[in-house]
Amino acid sequence: MVVRMNNKELFSKWLSESGPEGDIVLSSRIRLARNIKDIPYPNNASDEDLLKVNTLIQDVLKDKDKVKLNYLSIDNMDELEKYIFVEKYLISPAHVKEGVYRGLLTNREENISAMINEEDHIRIQVFLSGLNLKKAWDKADMIDDLLEEKLDFAFSEKWGYLSACPTNMGTGLRASVMMHLPALNLTNNIDRMLSAISKLGLVIRGIYGEGSDSSGNIYQISNQVTLGLNENDIIDNLESITKQIIGQEKNARKRLVKEQESDLKDSIYRAFGVLKNAYKINIEEAMELISNVRLGIDMGIIDNIDPLTLNQLIVLIRPAHLKKIMDINSEGKDNDIKRAKLIRNRLL
Amino acid sequence: MVVRMNNKELFSKWLSESGPEGDIVLSSRIRLARNIKDIPYPNNASDEDLLKVNTLIQDVLKDKDKVKLNYLSIDNMDELEKYIFVEKYLISPAHVKEGVYRGLLTNREENISAMINEEDHIRIQVFLSGLNLKKAWDKADMIDDLLEEKLDFAFSEKWGYLSACPTNMGTGLRASVMMHLPALNLTNNIDRMLSAISKLGLVIRGIYGEGSDSSGNIYQISNQVTLGLNENDIIDNLESITKQIIGQEKNARKRLVKEQESDLKDSIYRAFGVLKNAYKINIEEAMELISNVRLGIDMGIIDNIDPLTLNQLIVLIRPAHLKKIMDINSEGKDNDIKRAKLIRNRLL
């Protein structure tokens, strides 16, 4: 199977646009978990059940006027393509490893998508640039309505939408923002801030979800509980806390300029110099340097580079994208060299 | 007093030319120590004696057809000018701090010079680019002949030329080469090599003479003894050992390419990136990075930079030059910022 990715399709739309508060909030995501009534969850379902779910959902969503969703069978993808979609956040690492009748629905811009037969029968996902939770929610809700017109979802008056995982019971909604918080880190305020957030019922993860490090000063912040709250409360709460974090990050940036201007400039310019010149570089270091340069752009210290180029690099330097773009056949050891070359080319 | 330095005069000639083996040997230097008979050495001389010496030497050497030497009184220099000449190796740090009737004779290219009333009455000095000891000796010998036509030197059949310092007795000749030995350092062979050299009666110093570190992988190697050998033996011996060291450095470079090519390229490109982008930098780090970039040029890894630009930087980044060029009035703390700016400008 040919990987459906030319240069125009390298990036999901949210990576190539700037949204509200885009200098600190990279993206907003809404995910809705739904299951069809009277069919077992995918981990207990027979192949027949899985096929039935897959067909029902495709019938409702594929190629509709309201949203042009294209269907891809995960079983039919080659390994590289699978992991490219994982790196684009369109499918989960778990979804890649499951069996037959797993699928992905996605629009051309890759900001509206749905996983079929992952942990739940369907997980709708909307990604928008910047702090844009309400608009993302509207889009997810529209998909949900399309489905609900034709399908009966598993639902109880007491528990709300039922889900394979108890933490998703209720609204089935997970709202999250991906934030770039370098100044809070540089001023040693990040841990205090993150611990305060977790007391407010939110979860903090690294850029690639559960168990991933906060590589490159990027943090995913999402609601923990979906039960007992309505969708608007969840979204309003996350948005309000996100705005407070934005305020703290902005204050930390002001303090950096005031108190450590020359150190700040030095580390930003050096990061830029190394990114543009290194002969080999691993992901961790690249993420760190990209973060520094991005901070430099946001603070007006560096001005000859498009911040979206850096957003894109965050995804392009990951193993599957790197392998695809740099045409790497052999395993492993020269990846750091290829990664450095990719970065140099993009920063020209 | 106006500092006699415009842009053309920023560099001594040896820094702006390339000589034989110029990728490893930056320069060759010959220094001859002489004293006039029956006048005490400067540290014991009266002001009257010092004036007499100064006058006698100026009368013989100043503005002669064979070598156009210009006279500068060190007493009349301002502090900045004094230290600029120290950084150009034309006068010694000690010479700057001594009293009246101290002087410097130098040609326009600043490759032939003489200190008057430093430790000895006169110290003739010739600097040439690359490995060029014999030619440097010829020039120093020519100056010596001019002096000997008119003056009686302190000389004994047993000890040769007499000198204020016993280590200079005999020929009064110190021959030295300044070598750039990064690969011997990177392959951890430098200490073994330097210890072998010192057993051969040679002295190794850092770039700025006695007590200075081997900053930027630059080493000064000179004869230790001037007594009991004739001038040609001293020069032949140093030249022969220098050639052996060149051979070892070249082998070490080949080994680096063979065994650690990607590490080597990476450190060279990164050094270049940091030099071209840092917002502030101290001398030690700058010397280290300049050394890496210079190695990159010599090995054909970097090709868009003139090695002489780097030779010049070695002198320009030192405190007095930096102060003069970047027009620094206040003391201290922003020097690292100015130094980084100077380097960025020169590497454009």
Side-chain angles (χ1 to χ4, degrees):
Chain A
M1 163 149 190
V2 175
V3 172
R4 49 178 283 290
M5 189 177 73
N6 56 35
N7 258 334
K8 250 171 70 185
E9 287 168 336
L10 274 173
F11 315 112
S12 304
K13 197 178 185 199
W14 69 270
L15 263 177
S16 306
E17 289 185 337
S18 184
E21 306 285 358
D23 55 340
I24 292 175
V25 183
L26 275 68
S27 67
S28 299
R29 187 180 72 138
I30 293 291
R31 199 216 58 202
L32 278 177
R34 296 287 185 261
N35 290 280
I36 300 169
K37 202 173 164 181
D38 300 331
I39 302 180
Y41 299 129
N43 63 339
N44 286 320
S46 65
D47 284 1
E48 206 176 324
D49 291 331
L50 293 169
L51 173 58
K52 190 173 169 194
V53 167
N54 192 308
T55 310
L56 283 170
I57 292 173
Q58 279 200 58
D59 284 349
V60 180
L61 289 182
K62 204 172 120 181
D63 298 326
K64 290 293 173 284
D65 278 345
K66 273 198 168 174
V67 55
K68 299 275 179 204
L69 295 181
N70 180 41
Y71 177 77
L72 290 162
S73 159
I74 293 174
D75 321 348
N76 289 343
M77 292 179 185
D78 65 25
E79 284 298 297
L80 185 57
E81 188 176 25
K82 283 180 188 171
Y83 284 98
I84 282 176
F85 284 120
V86 170
E87 290 177 357
K88 286 176 166 193
Y89 303 90
L90 292 180
I91 56 183
S92 65
H95 204 31
V96 161
K97 293 185 182 130
E98 286 154 357
V100 293
Y101 305 124
R102 268 70 185 182
L104 168 68
L105 286 159
T106 174
N107 66 349
R108 194 174 164 73
E109 294 85 2
E110 297 181 339
N111 55 4
I112 301 178
S113 62
M115 286 186 282
I116 301 176
N117 288 325
E118 198 236 24
E119 208 173 88
D120 294 300
H121 291 156
I122 182 161
R123 287 195 166 180
I124 302 160
Q125 192 170 247
V126 178
F127 259 111
L128 293 180
S129 313
L131 180 55
N132 221 340
L133 288 166
K134 290 197 175 93
K135 200 165 160 192
W137 161 248
D138 288 343
K139 287 183 192 292
D141 195 30
M142 179 266 287
I143 305 290
D144 191 35
D145 289 347
L146 284 177
L147 288 163
E148 229 155 6
E149 277 173 26
K150 308 279 181 189
L151 302 173
D152 276 339
F153 284 145
F155 185 87
S156 96
E157 285 302 323
K158 186 175 175 194
W159 299 109
Y161 290 101
L162 301 179
S163 168
C165 176
T167 61
N168 289 320
M169 303 270 240
T171 58
L173 169 67
R174 180 138 295 159
S176 67
V177 287
M178 208 184 283
M179 303 187 80
H180 182 228
L181 305 174
L184 282 170
N185 197 355
L186 284 168
T187 56
N188 298 315
N189 283 298
I190 196 82
D191 290 336
R192 194 168 47 74
M193 201 274 298
L194 295 178
S195 132
I197 290 173
S198 63
K199 287 178 190 143
L200 297 170
L202 299 180
V203 180
I204 301 103
R205 294 194 181 86
I207 177 169
Y208 272 83
E210 269 176 277
S212 76
D213 290 335
S214 59
S215 156
N217 296 311
I218 294 174
Y219 299 84
Q220 267 190 65
I221 297 163
S222 62
N223 63 309
Q224 182 147 36
V225 180
T226 91
L227 189 63
L229 291 168
N230 71 35
E231 291 85 349
N232 285 329
D233 289 343
I234 290 172
I235 288 167
D236 286 348
N237 183 41
L238 178 61
E239 183 160 309
S240 145
I241 291 170
T242 301
K243 282 181 177 166
Q244 288 175 44
I245 302 171
I246 292 171
Q248 290 190 29
E249 171 68 18
K250 283 186 177 170
N251 281 338
R253 291 182 183 190
K254 277 183 203 148
R255 230 175 315 134
L256 278 179
V257 169
K258 207 172 149 192
E259 291 164 18
Q260 305 176 42
E261 190 179 8
S262 67
D263 290 335
L264 178 70
K265 283 184 172 173
D266 192 44
S267 77
I268 287 168
Y269 288 134
R270 282 170 182 251
F272 194 41
V274 172
L275 273 183
K276 282 203 302 186
N277 288 278
Y279 182 70
K280 57 184 185 183
I281 195 162
N282 63 31
I283 290 188
E284 274 312 301
E285 186 189 4
M287 289 294 288
E288 192 60 41
L289 298 178
I290 288 169
S291 170
N292 277 343
V293 173
R294 177 69 200 249
L295 178 64
I297 294 170
D298 294 342
M299 297 184 77
I301 293 169
I302 288 181
D303 59 8
N304 51 350
I305 239 197
D306 183 347
L308 297 175
T309 303
L310 295 176
N311 280 9
Q312 293 167 355
L313 275 178
I314 291 169
V315 173
L316 297 185
I317 61 174
R318 302 203 71 83
H321 276 81
L322 184 67
K323 205 164 173 177
K324 170 68 187 161
I325 300 164
M326 303 305 284
D327 213 13
I328 298 172
N329 293 312
S330 61
E331 274 315 309
K333 79 181 182 83
D334 285 344
N335 287 4
D336 287 353
I337 295 177
K338 299 279 190 182
R339 184 177 296 107
K341 189 174 177 187
L342 183 153
I343 294 171
R344 290 199 305 274
N345 291 345
R346 295 264 155 189
L347 292 182
L348 276 187
Chain B
M1 163 146 190
V2 175
V3 173
R4 49 178 282 291
M5 189 176 73
N6 55 37
N7 258 333
K8 250 171 70 186
E9 286 168 336
L10 274 173
F11 314 112
S12 305
K13 196 177 183 197
W14 70 269
L15 264 176
S16 306
E17 290 186 339
S18 183
E21 306 285 359
D23 56 340
I24 293 174
V25 183
L26 275 69
S27 66
S28 300
R29 186 179 73 139
I30 293 291
R31 199 216 56 202
L32 278 178
R34 297 288 185 260
N35 290 280
I36 300 170
K37 199 173 166 182
D38 300 330
I39 303 180
Y41 298 130
N43 62 340
N44 287 319
S46 64
D47 285 2
E48 207 178 323
D49 290 332
L50 293 168
L51 173 58
K52 190 174 166 192
V53 167
N54 192 308
T55 310
L56 282 170
I57 292 172
Q58 279 200 58
D59 283 350
V60 179
L61 290 181
K62 203 171 121 183
D63 297 325
K64 290 291 172 287
D65 278 344
K66 274 197 168 174
V67 53
K68 299 276 180 203
L69 295 181
N70 180 40
Y71 178 77
L72 290 162
S73 160
I74 293 174
D75 319 349
N76 290 343
M77 292 178 184
D78 64 27
E79 283 298 296
L80 184 57
E81 187 176 26
K82 283 180 188 171
Y83 284 99
I84 282 176
F85 283 120
V86 170
E87 288 176 1
K88 286 176 164 190
Y89 304 90
L90 293 180
I91 56 183
S92 65
H95 204 31
V96 161
K97 293 186 182 129
E98 286 155 357
V100 292
Y101 305 124
R102 268 72 185 180
L104 168 68
L105 286 159
T106 175
N107 66 349
R108 196 175 162 73
E109 294 85 3
E110 296 181 339
N111 57 4
I112 302 178
S113 62
M115 285 186 280
I116 301 176
N117 288 326
E118 198 237 23
E119 206 173 271
D120 293 301
H121 291 155
I122 183 162
R123 287 194 165 182
I124 301 160
Q125 193 169 246
V126 177
F127 260 111
L128 292 179
S129 312
L131 181 55
N132 222 339
L133 288 165
K134 290 199 176 94
K135 200 165 160 194
W137 161 248
D138 288 342
K139 286 183 193 291
D141 195 29
M142 179 264 288
I143 305 291
D144 190 36
D145 288 347
L146 284 177
L147 289 163
E148 228 155 7
E149 275 173 27
K150 307 281 183 187
L151 302 172
D152 277 339
F153 284 146
F155 185 87
S156 96
E157 285 304 322
K158 186 174 176 196
W159 299 108
Y161 290 100
L162 302 179
S163 168
C165 175
T167 61
N168 288 319
M169 303 271 241
T171 57
L173 169 68
R174 181 139 292 159
S176 66
V177 287
M178 208 184 283
M179 304 187 79
H180 182 228
L181 305 173
L184 283 170
N185 197 355
L186 283 169
T187 56
N188 297 317
N189 283 298
I190 195 82
D191 290 336
R192 196 169 46 74
M193 200 274 298
L194 294 178
S195 130
I197 290 174
S198 63
K199 285 178 192 143
L200 297 170
L202 298 180
V203 180
I204 302 102
R205 295 193 180 86
I207 177 170
Y208 272 84
E210 270 176 275
S212 76
D213 289 336
S214 60
S215 156
N217 296 312
I218 295 174
Y219 299 84
Q220 267 190 64
I221 296 163
S222 62
N223 63 309
Q224 181 147 36
V225 180
T226 91
L227 188 64
L229 291 167
N230 70 35
E231 291 86 350
N232 285 329
D233 290 344
I234 291 171
I235 288 167
D236 286 349
N237 183 43
L238 179 60
E239 184 160 307
S240 145
I241 291 170
T242 300
K243 282 180 176 165
Q244 289 176 43
I245 302 171
I246 292 171
Q248 292 191 28
E249 170 69 17
K250 283 185 176 169
N251 282 339
R253 291 181 184 191
K254 277 183 203 146
R255 232 175 313 134
L256 278 180
V257 169
K258 208 172 149 192
E259 292 163 17
Q260 305 175 42
E261 189 179 9
S262 67
D263 289 336
L264 178 70
K265 282 184 173 173
D266 192 44
S267 76
I268 287 169
Y269 289 135
R270 282 170 183 250
F272 194 41
V274 172
L275 272 185
K276 281 204 301 186
N277 289 278
Y279 181 69
K280 55 184 186 183
I281 195 164
N282 63 32
I283 290 187
E284 273 312 301
E285 186 189 4
M287 288 295 288
E288 192 61 40
L289 298 178
I290 288 169
S291 170
N292 278 343
V293 172
R294 177 67 200 251
L295 178 64
I297 295 170
D298 294 342
M299 297 184 78
I301 293 169
I302 288 181
D303 59 8
N304 52 351
I305 239 198
D306 183 346
L308 297 176
T309 301
L310 295 176
N311 279 10
Q312 292 166 354
L313 275 179
I314 292 169
V315 174
L316 296 185
I317 62 174
R318 302 204 70 82
H321 277 80
L322 184 66
K323 205 165 173 179
K324 170 69 188 162
I325 300 163
M326 302 304 282
D327 213 11
I328 299 172
N329 292 311
S330 60
E331 274 315 310
K333 81 181 182 78
D334 285 345
N335 287 4
D336 287 354
I337 296 178
K338 299 280 190 180
R339 183 178 295 108
K341 188 175 177 187
L342 182 152
I343 294 170
R344 290 199 306 274
N345 291 344
R346 295 263 155 188
L347 292 181
L348 276 187

